[in-house]
Amino acid sequence: MNDAAPRPGARGRLLLTIGLVMLAVLVAVMVLGPSLAPYSPSRTTPDSLAGPTAQHWLGTDSIGRDLLSRLIVGGRSTLLITFASVALALCAGLVLGLASGYLGGRVDLVVMRLLDVIFAFPVFLLAIAVVAALGPTVPNLILTIAIVYTPTLARVVRAPVLSVKRWDHVEAARSVGVREFDIATRHVLPLVVSPIIVQTSLTLANTIFTVTALSFLGLGPPPPDPNWGSMLAEARQFMELAPLTVIGPAIAIVFASLTFIVLANGLREALDVGSR
Amino acid sequence: MSDAGPLLQVRDLTAAFGRAGAAAPVVKGISFDVAPGEAVGFVGESGCGKSVTARAILRLAPEGASVTLGGRVAYRGRDLLQLPAREMEQVRGRRIAMVFQDPMASLNPVMTVGQQIDDMLRHHQNLSRRAARRRTVDLLGLVGIRDPASRADDYPHQFSGGMRQRVMIAMAVSCEPDLLIADEPTTALDVTVQAQILRLLLRLRHELGMALMLITHDFGVIAGMVEQVFVMHRGEIVERGAVDAIFRDPQHPYTRALLAAIPRIETARRSS
Amino acid sequence: MGAGTMGRMVLLRLALTIPILLGVSVVAFMLMRALPGDFAQAAAGTTSISAEALDTIRRQLGIDRPLWEQYLAWLSGALVGDLGRSFVTKRPVAADLLPRFLVTAQLTAMAGVIAFVLGSATGLASARLRGSADWLVRGLNSLLLAVPNFVVATLIVLLFGLYFPSVGIFNYTPFMQDPLANLTSLLLPALSLGLTVSVTISENTRAAVLEVSSQDYVMVARAKGLPRRAILLHYLVRNALTPVITVAGLQLAALLGGSILIETIFTIPGMGQYLFDSVTTRDYPAIQAIVLVAATVVLLMNVAVDIAYARVDARVSYE
């Protein structure tokens, strides 16, 4: 309250602005992708493992492909998988959390116990096992990551729904005969939206980690399509020869997850969720 | 040490919350003296600045809040407000001790009550672990805790509210201070326990010969406890005088209102 | 809380875990049997195999029987420590898993200690510096949180490979062979694993210290004239630690998941690397066993954290 630091509101807005600018960069890379890249990501040149030059700003990889182009195109696939899987997890989490919290009783019991089971597995270990079982294709990756992050989101939806559904305006809506589905979606959901937004942003950061980690282990989208995780793994093999090739993908991964962490912190302060 | 002058001499004390410039004044320049061994009472409703005054003497502000103090608080001629932090630590607890309102929250839940008195004795009086423990047990006995040797090893949650306030008092008098500040020491307690705690304070004051500064919102608590009364209202002392005189013939309308409230409070408590 | 109620609480908490454990076992089993991919073919380890030979394998493994029968057989085996036979080594999975499990347990324990020490120190600093340099600690925390552990590990490998090639970071030494060399060989892996987790602990420590700072007993300690250091250690830290320890306990799942990457990068023969190898060789019984063991450990750890909290809470709470 008597902090010398800027007021929470101002700091929240600042973080939010920075986060949104960073997000804009990511979205631009994702949407424009190949047209931003100076070369084709699969074009090989005899000039392999070269350092940064005027032609190749980030240098080339072991078979002479332009790293900047691969980074840009690889970002597209990394981010597409990330956004798609979180969108899927969010839908599942909304449905399960809302049903569980709003309907309560037996539905709640069954849904929450099922989610407890998924929750018991270390996230990354479960992701590996599921991808291993399904096979590493892009749709399977999206499905796997969605499954892994659904419980967290469902819980974040459920908790506030439990209290909001007892509020007066909900009772009032019910007494005048509004359909249950409409009450749940129009009168309860809007009031619990803030923590969900914050958690979604954090989940995006975690998903960046999971997607890149899976491809780092060779369980990501199949080659030859570039991906930040697999690029880091490739660079690692030639690290002694060309140490700088590690830097590009490493920074890209950190930048992407930092974007969502900054956004989450900004949103948390701006929306006043769990402030401390 | 000569007892010629007053023990505590407060002049134009001001206290304001918040940073300089945008500060909200809570205590607006009050002055009073406390003679050695004297008991004074501060009466006023909550928010009148009496607790802030008490804390200002020991320069205690709530954690995270910034309080700007002004004026002069002279203890045996030394201005406490100008004292370096190190020397202030030598005054706190040793020369001037304090008992707080809520005995439930005043004790550290993860230390035994014995440890919490020991650490003060060992710090201020350089006692050995063993000597500190002997003194702690004596003190707990002094404040009327039965079987003090084994109770010293209990944790705060194993004591009732009244017993915890006794522990707090034992702690406060452990270094035989010259002045004991008791800030609403009975407000959080049951009525029957309140009387016991007040009697204990009265007894210790005489046994140890210390001055007492009793702060309360309740005129009923003051009677029979103190010689001088200061009535505080909105950060100022609006009336002062000997306790009998004020009870008999209150001058300020606010004092009259407070006095008129005593019986009502008593009946309300009995019925609840 | 008496010993009797405590015992009952432990039993109740364990009883509540049993249905989840059963669910976990179903998931671990179904993952490998009900999904696409031929179990028998994986068992044979080759695709060029006659239909008759495949049928023989199916009968041997019992996968010609109904799924629920297979599950019960697998589960009853798992309950007595029989986790099946590896397709690759043909040895019992339990025998292959145990030594690797111990290595991972040591790595995660070391990472946990590093994360706890680092996190509580920075969290405490951040809380004490509130209003001045707090933003720096919190900013660094956010940045650290954004660096995944495999990136940290890769950068450490790069750094040491370039500048300190003599350190030899891939020299994993078994504990029984040379305890000291074992500890040093796991130091960097544990650091990369614990760094991200330390951020969670740091943020929680900060919140707990701020919460405790506003308690009356801290002001009482100042009124007692105790020196700042004593107040910090005996009043602030001791009280703030309780919630932090429980949060730290819940980070085990993150550490176990992360160990897969760290062990692969630093070539440490632990459970994580075993999982990675088993996925690569399609060693389904091994994958099932690892998934089951990891989830069981996490669940039991959660129970332990709950019980620890109840113990401390019983002492702390005023009722």
Side-chain angles (χ1 to χ4, degrees):
Chain A
M1 271 162 287
N2 293 293
D3 276 0
R7 282 172 298 112
R11 198 174 54 194
R13 272 196 298 280
L14 179 68
L15 283 173
L16 209 55
T17 314
I18 297 175
L20 286 174
V21 170
M22 291 170 78
L23 183 66
V25 173
L26 287 182
V27 170
V29 166
M30 192 175 76
V31 174
L32 302 174
S35 53
L36 281 179
Y39 302 98
S40 154
S42 50
R43 195 192 69 141
T44 59
T45 61
D47 196 13
S48 68
L49 290 176
T53 59
Q55 288 85 39
H56 305 287
W57 292 1
L58 291 179
T60 57
D61 72 0
S62 58
I63 48 175
R65 294 176 296 195
D66 179 54
L67 279 173
L68 180 62
S69 307
R70 290 182 68 72
L71 203 63
I72 291 172
V73 176
R76 178 181 210 167
S77 109
T78 307
L79 292 167
L80 274 176
I81 296 173
T82 300
F83 281 118
S85 49
V86 173
L88 198 60
L90 183 61
C91 290
L94 276 176
V95 170
L96 289 173
L98 203 53
S100 192
Y102 187 76
L103 298 176
R106 213 168 293 167
V107 177
D108 187 33
L109 195 73
V110 171
V111 171
M112 289 325 283
R113 287 300 84 76
L114 283 178
L115 295 181
D116 278 347
V117 169
I118 301 181
F119 220 70
F121 297 97
V123 165
F124 190 61
L125 189 136
L126 183 64
I128 288 187
V130 176
V131 170
L134 294 174
T137 65
V138 171
N140 285 350
L141 276 171
I142 293 173
L143 184 66
T144 301
I145 295 167
I147 292 174
V148 167
Y149 286 112
T150 297
T152 322
L153 287 163
R155 285 183 179 197
V156 172
V157 176
R158 173 179 172 268
V161 167
L162 280 178
S163 60
V164 169
K165 74 169 179 182
R166 300 193 202 293
W167 287 7
D168 287 345
H169 77 282
V170 176
E171 293 295 330
R174 190 171 295 134
S175 69
V176 296
V178 180
R179 285 193 312 149
E180 290 290 328
F181 181 79
D182 289 339
I183 295 178
T185 52
R186 295 212 191 128
H187 295 263
V188 174
L189 195 56
L191 289 164
V192 302
V193 108
S194 301
I196 300 172
I197 293 176
V198 172
Q199 186 60 47
T200 304
S201 192
L202 282 179
T203 305
L204 281 165
N206 289 332
T207 305
I208 290 282
F209 165 83
T210 309
V211 173
T212 50
L214 281 172
S215 16
F216 181 80
L217 287 181
L219 293 168
D225 289 347
N227 180 291
W228 290 344
S230 54
M231 285 178 69
L232 189 66
E234 283 163 26
R236 198 168 73 93
Q237 295 179 323
F238 303 99
M239 218 153 53
E240 280 81 16
L241 297 171
L244 284 175
T245 53
V246 170
I247 305 299
I251 287 180
I253 293 169
V254 172
F255 180 83
S257 43
L258 192 61
T259 300
F260 297 117
I261 290 169
V262 170
L263 264 183
N265 286 343
L267 286 165
R268 183 181 286 139
E269 292 196 14
L271 300 172
D272 196 23
V273 178
S275 54
R276 42 180 182 225
Chain B
M1 207 173 274
S2 94
D3 286 347
L7 182 69
L8 190 74
Q9 192 177 42
V10 175
R11 288 295 173 269
D12 296 320
L13 177 68
T14 58
F17 280 106
R19 270 162 297 164
V26 186
V27 176
K28 302 167 185 166
I30 63 171
S31 303
F32 61 92
D33 290 352
V34 181
E38 187 191 22
V40 300
F42 275 75
V43 191
E45 60 199 337
S46 59
C48 72
K50 58 191 194 306
S51 287
V52 178
T53 303
R55 287 172 188 185
I57 294 170
L58 283 178
R59 280 169 40 194
L60 295 173
E63 187 80 19
S66 67
V67 176
T68 316
L69 299 177
R72 190 176 142 80
V73 177
Y75 166 78
R76 293 191 189 278
R78 280 197 302 171
D79 187 358
L80 297 182
L81 299 188
Q82 306 300 330
L83 227 48
R86 265 292 147 76
E87 288 176 46
M88 193 64 209
E89 281 169 10
Q90 294 303 313
V91 173
R92 290 180 185 145
R94 188 177 189 178
R95 305 289 181 207
I96 304 177
M98 193 158 170
V99 174
F100 292 84
Q101 173 171 355
D102 186 1
M104 298 296 181
S106 293
L107 288 161
N108 183 351
V110 300
M111 284 167 82
T112 66
V113 300
Q115 286 169 344
Q116 297 184 53
I117 303 177
D118 290 348
D119 66 357
M120 190 166 164
L121 287 167
R122 296 183 61 194
H123 175 62
H124 284 310
Q125 308 196 324
N126 276 322
L127 294 184
S128 69
R129 197 177 284 269
R130 187 179 293 240
R133 176 44 57 104
R134 258 202 310 275
R135 177 100 175 96
T136 295
V137 172
D138 287 348
L139 283 164
L140 289 175
L142 182 70
V143 297
I145 287 174
R146 238 173 274 164
D147 194 12
S150 72
R151 290 297 266 163
D153 292 325
D154 282 345
Y155 286 90
H157 77 268
Q158 290 163 299
F159 288 81
S160 68
M163 283 296 148
R164 258 182 262 182
Q165 197 61 301
R166 285 172 193 267
V167 171
M168 284 305 298
I169 291 171
M171 193 186 291
V173 303
S174 63
C175 299
E176 304 196 350
D178 297 327
L179 171 65
L180 176 67
I181 303 174
D183 184 5
E184 302 265 12
T186 58
T187 307
L189 304 174
D190 292 342
V191 187
T192 47
V193 183
Q194 285 187 2
Q196 293 170 6
I197 295 293
L198 289 176
R199 265 201 304 280
L200 174 66
L201 283 174
L202 202 58
R203 197 189 85 212
L204 287 174
R205 183 199 148 201
H206 288 297
E207 280 178 20
L208 303 174
M210 56 184 183
L212 176 68
M213 191 171 152
L214 183 62
I215 291 156
T216 177
H217 65 277
D218 185 354
F219 252 115
V221 166
I222 291 286
M225 288 290 294
V226 301
E227 290 105 45
Q228 290 282 326
V229 176
F230 299 91
V231 180
M232 277 191 78
H233 184 49
R234 295 190 176 172
E236 290 172 54
I237 295 177
V238 293
E239 182 161 7
R240 63 179 76 204
V243 65
D244 297 340
I246 287 194
F247 266 96
R248 216 176 311 118
D249 184 19
Q251 299 297 312
H252 197 275
Y254 180 69
T255 313
R256 276 185 227 127
L258 281 179
L259 280 168
I262 303 178
R264 259 215 320 273
I265 291 171
E266 290 299 287
T267 43
R269 278 200 188 141
R270 255 177 236 123
S271 62
S272 67
Chain C
M1 193 182 278
T5 38
M6 199 67 204
R8 218 174 311 143
M9 147 135 194
V10 172
L11 282 181
L12 183 72
R13 193 63 189 71
L14 280 174
L16 284 174
T17 309
I18 289 174
I20 303 176
L21 264 175
L22 278 177
V24 161
S25 70
V26 171
V27 172
F29 177 82
M30 296 300 266
L31 263 181
M32 295 301 130
R33 308 258 178 139
L35 293 171
D38 192 331
F39 198 76
Q41 210 166 59
T46 170
T47 45
S48 53
I49 185 169
S50 68
E52 295 82 53
L54 268 183
D55 276 342
T56 320
I57 292 175
R58 285 205 180 92
R59 255 195 313 283
Q60 276 170 356
L61 291 172
I63 49 182
D64 51 341
R65 287 183 289 160
L67 215 51
W68 64 268
E69 254 181 56
Q70 295 179 44
Y71 168 70
L72 285 183
W74 178 75
L75 183 65
S76 50
L79 283 176
V80 295
D82 173 12
L83 292 165
R85 255 168 208 285
S86 160
F87 288 168
V88 178
T89 64
K90 312 293 181 198
R91 281 160 28 96
V93 169
D96 282 346
L97 183 57
L98 184 65
R100 296 160 199 265
F101 174 77
L102 293 178
V103 170
T104 299
Q106 192 199 347
L107 175 64
T108 46
M110 285 176 67
V113 170
I114 289 175
F116 186 77
V117 171
L118 214 61
S120 47
T122 57
L124 182 64
S126 169
R128 299 307 287 174
L129 294 173
R130 193 163 74 126
S132 53
D134 179 20
W135 63 270
L136 186 67
V137 181
R138 300 194 84 192
L140 279 177
N141 266 345
S142 292
L143 190 63
L144 215 53
L145 194 62
V147 188
N149 51 31
F150 65 95
V151 176
V152 176
T154 306
L155 292 178
I156 285 181
V157 169
L158 174 65
L159 213 64
F160 276 75
L162 283 182
Y163 298 108
F164 312 99
S166 55
V167 173
I169 45 178
F170 297 120
N171 296 341
Y172 173 76
T173 319
F175 187 78
M176 301 312 278
Q177 190 182 315
D178 181 352
L180 194 66
N182 164 270
L183 286 179
T184 41
S185 70
L186 284 181
L187 207 57
L188 286 174
L191 180 68
S192 8
L193 186 54
L195 214 52
T196 318
V197 171
S198 81
V199 175
T200 314
I201 295 176
S202 175
E203 289 288 311
N204 278 284
T205 305
R206 178 179 180 277
V209 169
L210 288 180
E211 162 83 25
V212 171
S213 304
S214 64
Q215 297 292 316
D216 281 1
Y217 53 76
V218 176
M219 189 190 292
V220 170
R222 287 200 287 148
K224 282 160 78 174
L226 297 179
R228 291 179 67 90
R229 237 178 80 86
I231 298 175
L232 190 70
L233 284 179
H234 298 136
Y235 290 76
L236 268 178
V237 171
R238 276 180 69 170
N239 280 288
L241 224 49
T242 331
V244 172
I245 285 176
T246 61
V247 169
L250 295 176
Q251 293 302 310
L252 180 77
L255 289 179
L256 270 182
S259 71
I260 302 166
L261 291 153
I262 299 303
E263 287 172 11
T264 312
I265 292 173
F266 286 95
T267 58
I268 298 164
M271 196 167 73
Q273 201 188 45
Y274 189 33
L275 176 67
F276 179 69
D277 292 344
S278 307
V279 165
T280 322
T281 55
R282 302 218 295 166
D283 192 349
Y284 290 163
I287 300 177
Q288 279 176 340
I290 296 164
V291 170
L292 182 70
V293 167
T296 308
V297 169
V298 169
L299 279 175
L300 291 182
M301 190 68 184
N302 289 353
V303 175
V305 166
D306 275 6
I307 292 168
Y309 193 80
R311 274 193 89 98
V312 177
D313 206 33
R315 195 165 55 109
V316 169
S317 75
Y318 292 115
E319 300 315 321

